[in-house]
Amino acid sequence: MHVAESLKKYEHPYLTVDGVLFRFDGGLDVKLCRNDEIGKLCLPGGFVPVDRLAVDVLREKVMAKAGESGFYAEQLQTYDGLDRDPRSRVVSIAYLCLTCGGTDGNGWYRLDGDVLRGSDGELALGDLGFDHGGIVADARRRLVNKLWYSDLVRHLLPGMFTMPEIQAVYEGLEGKDYYNNFKRDMGSRLAPVGLRKDGKPGRKAVLYEWNSEWEV
Amino acid sequence: MHVAESLKKYEHPYLTVDGVLFRFDGGLDVKLCRNDEIGKLCLPGGFVPVDRLAVDVLREKVMAKAGESGFYAEQLQTYDGLDRDPRSRVVSIAYLCLTCGGTDGNGWYRLDGDVLRGSDGELALGDLGFDHGGIVADARRRLVNKLWYSDLVRHLLPGMFTMPEIQAVYEGLEGKDYYNNFKRDMGSRLAPVGLRKDGKPGRKAVLYEWNSEWEV
DNA sequence: ACAATAGTGTCTTTTAGACACTATCGG
DNA sequence: CCGATAGTGTCTAAAAGACACTATTGT
């Protein structure tokens, strides 16, 4: 068609995806991988070609660069600053991604305030490549904001979990104490499916799964 | 640099912006303009060149195609479906835009459920071009969701307004009744700045402005 | 028995919903 | 005075915060 034709020679921005993959294990961890070109830790991601959906490219790149698959992903925001990549104009669609435990044990960094702690030492959010530090901060804010009016937390937990376990996720992410009111506050989100039998002392915990009836 | 070089010949998606500009005047109105190429009503917007910010292009295009300026704008979501534009792969960053009254009186359509009513008749959201019907629906949902935990409503109102006026916006958008509790619910958001003196019968209403101290 | 963990009950405080009533206006 | 419109007070119901207490488990 004629508009598309006239745009053939039109120089337009590159499009990329970046994934902020979180897990929760006593604290919030984010997956990072080293970018050899700029020599910094970055979010996994890559360029979006004409014939592929951003989220599909995301899954492929996160698998290739970070060894993770099977995670939950939803769009976070699109970053289009003119100089976010000094090499050329690159607009990036960022995704908030959640997983439970993770496939590959490497590349996880505990996000504690503005500092990232990994097995190879400690760095600040601002030390990440490009504008990725800000993207991680935005992703965490979104995750925390949506905790109670979405089912995001599901994706940070296994299919079955106990009340103390899910409460620890909420309390860790929100930095607040729900005392013994947590079950009450969960309302109809959870459905009991059994008892946990671990060798530890103390009363056996009831196992729950997410109630599929529940909706935001 | 070498990556950018190697990407020069790489065919990548076009990037556009689309603006969902709302106003509130007894009901929610959205600004649309006719796209002559596809012969349908569409959101105002256009292509993003390499050297410009999406939001700047948005303002320019909304001014050029819809005659509106001075509105509030925040990013809504990015739409990247492979076939959203049959002519070629076009990824669009959509913006939620708000204004009070508007500059140009034309092109406003009352959004009432799924139907759009304008001076030239009535159509459904699904009759808009591309995926713009869905984008409008997403924008309204976002606006309504953020009403209480953001200051979005400011941008739908003039600098000074009365309690019944702002209450009407909330009640119209949420479809619920706040009885006489609205002032209480507004908490510290508003600050009184005078009295409205219109010629109409009834007690004079107190004029308020947004309290700059208040934050989400 | 006891430390450790899970879970229940029950207060108080705060917030939300509903509406009766008072206060001003113009004509 | 009367119909309109704006605004206050108060009562009840529901939700949130805080914590004492009970219930099980392994050692």
Side-chain angles (χ1 to χ4, degrees):
Chain A
M1 286 215 180
H2 115 272
V3 156
E5 284 301 323
S6 75
L7 282 166
K8 276 281 166 57
K9 44 187 173 282
Y10 175 80
E11 199 188 352
H12 53 286
Y14 290 106
L15 185 67
T16 64
V17 282
D18 286 303
V20 184
L21 178 60
F22 286 131
R23 71 173 182 188
F24 190 92
D25 181 25
L28 191 63
D29 290 337
V30 61
K31 187 90 174 194
L32 300 172
C33 46
R34 188 153 294 276
N35 180 318
D36 291 326
E37 258 192 275
I38 66 170
K40 292 188 171 187
L41 280 171
C42 285
L43 295 170
F47 287 89
V48 179
V50 269
D51 57 348
R52 301 198 58 206
L53 282 176
V55 72
D56 291 342
V57 176
L58 173 82
R59 292 192 180 280
E60 174 194 307
K61 295 297 180 179
V62 172
M63 185 60 204
K65 299 189 178 184
E68 298 288 345
S69 62
F71 50 86
Y72 168 83
E74 73 174 36
Q75 203 185 106
L76 175 63
Q77 218 196 300
T78 297
Y79 296 82
D80 83 318
L82 295 178
D83 296 313
R84 45 185 305 279
D85 187 330
R87 299 168 298 182
S88 70
R89 178 77 189 288
V90 177
V91 172
S92 184
I93 310 176
Y95 281 78
L96 168 61
C97 308
L98 306 175
T99 196
C100 175
T103 318
D104 179 0
N106 299 315
W108 290 105
Y109 291 77
R110 172 63 47 90
L111 178 56
D112 188 2
D114 277 2
V115 317
L116 291 159
R117 266 178 272 271
S119 52
D120 58 346
E122 180 173 320
L123 70 160
L125 270 184
D127 297 329
L128 297 188
F130 311 111
D131 53 357
H132 290 188
I135 298 179
V136 171
D138 290 345
R140 177 178 48 188
R141 194 174 318 122
R142 176 85 127 256
L143 171 61
V144 173
N145 279 338
K146 289 188 72 170
L147 268 189
W148 283 102
Y149 71 92
S150 76
D151 63 348
L152 280 184
V153 72
R154 286 180 72 167
H155 310 285
L156 292 171
L157 291 164
M160 290 161 67
F161 47 86
T162 68
M163 203 56 81
E165 282 165 0
I166 185 173
Q167 181 168 355
V169 177
Y170 275 83
E171 294 189 339
L173 290 176
E174 298 190 304
K176 78 178 264 193
D177 188 348
Y178 284 100
Y179 303 94
N180 288 331
N181 304 317
F182 190 77
K183 185 181 180 183
R184 179 185 70 186
D185 295 345
M186 286 298 283
S188 59
R189 289 173 178 80
L190 308 183
V193 286
L195 279 185
R196 164 148 301 168
K197 42 182 190 309
D198 49 7
K200 287 183 301 188
R203 179 170 170 173
K204 282 187 187 113
V206 173
L207 277 174
Y208 293 89
E209 64 178 13
W210 201 265
N211 175 11
S212 50
E213 305 290 301
W214 189 84
E215 44 197 310
V216 349
Chain B
M1 285 220 178
H2 113 271
V3 159
E5 283 302 323
S6 74
L7 284 166
K8 275 282 165 57
K9 44 189 172 283
Y10 175 80
E11 199 188 351
H12 53 286
Y14 289 106
L15 185 67
T16 64
V17 282
D18 287 303
V20 184
L21 178 60
F22 286 131
R23 70 175 183 189
F24 190 92
D25 182 26
L28 191 63
D29 291 337
V30 62
K31 188 90 172 193
L32 300 172
C33 46
R34 189 153 294 277
N35 181 317
D36 291 326
E37 258 193 275
I38 66 169
K40 292 188 173 188
L41 281 171
C42 286
L43 296 171
F47 287 89
V48 180
V50 269
D51 57 347
R52 303 197 57 203
L53 282 176
V55 72
D56 291 342
V57 176
L58 173 81
R59 292 191 180 281
E60 174 194 308
K61 295 298 181 181
V62 172
M63 184 61 203
K65 299 190 176 181
E68 299 288 344
S69 60
F71 50 86
Y72 167 84
E74 72 174 37
Q75 203 185 108
L76 175 62
Q77 218 195 300
T78 296
Y79 296 83
D80 84 319
L82 294 178
D83 295 313
R84 46 185 306 279
D85 187 330
R87 298 169 298 181
S88 70
R89 178 78 189 286
V90 178
V91 173
S92 184
I93 309 177
Y95 280 79
L96 168 60
C97 307
L98 305 174
T99 195
C100 174
T103 319
D104 179 0
N106 300 315
W108 289 105
Y109 292 77
R110 172 64 47 90
L111 179 55
D112 188 1
D114 277 2
V115 317
L116 292 158
R117 266 179 271 271
S119 52
D120 59 346
E122 180 173 320
L123 68 160
L125 270 185
D127 297 330
L128 297 188
F130 310 111
D131 53 357
H132 290 188
I135 298 179
V136 171
D138 289 345
R140 178 178 48 187
R141 193 173 318 124
R142 175 87 127 251
L143 171 61
V144 173
N145 280 337
K146 289 188 74 171
L147 268 188
W148 283 103
Y149 71 93
S150 75
D151 63 349
L152 280 183
V153 72
R154 288 179 70 167
H155 310 286
L156 293 171
L157 291 163
M160 291 161 67
F161 48 85
T162 69
M163 202 58 79
E165 283 165 0
I166 185 173
Q167 181 169 354
V169 177
Y170 275 83
E171 294 187 340
L173 290 177
E174 299 191 302
K176 77 178 259 192
D177 188 349
Y178 284 101
Y179 301 93
N180 289 331
N181 304 317
F182 189 78
K183 185 181 179 183
R184 178 185 73 186
D185 295 345
M186 286 297 284
S188 59
R189 288 172 179 82
L190 308 183
V193 286
L195 277 185
R196 163 148 300 169
K197 41 183 192 307
D198 50 8
K200 287 182 301 187
R203 180 171 171 173
K204 283 187 185 112
V206 174
L207 277 173
Y208 293 89
E209 65 178 13
W210 201 265
N211 174 13
S212 49
E213 306 290 300
W214 188 84
E215 44 196 311
V216 347

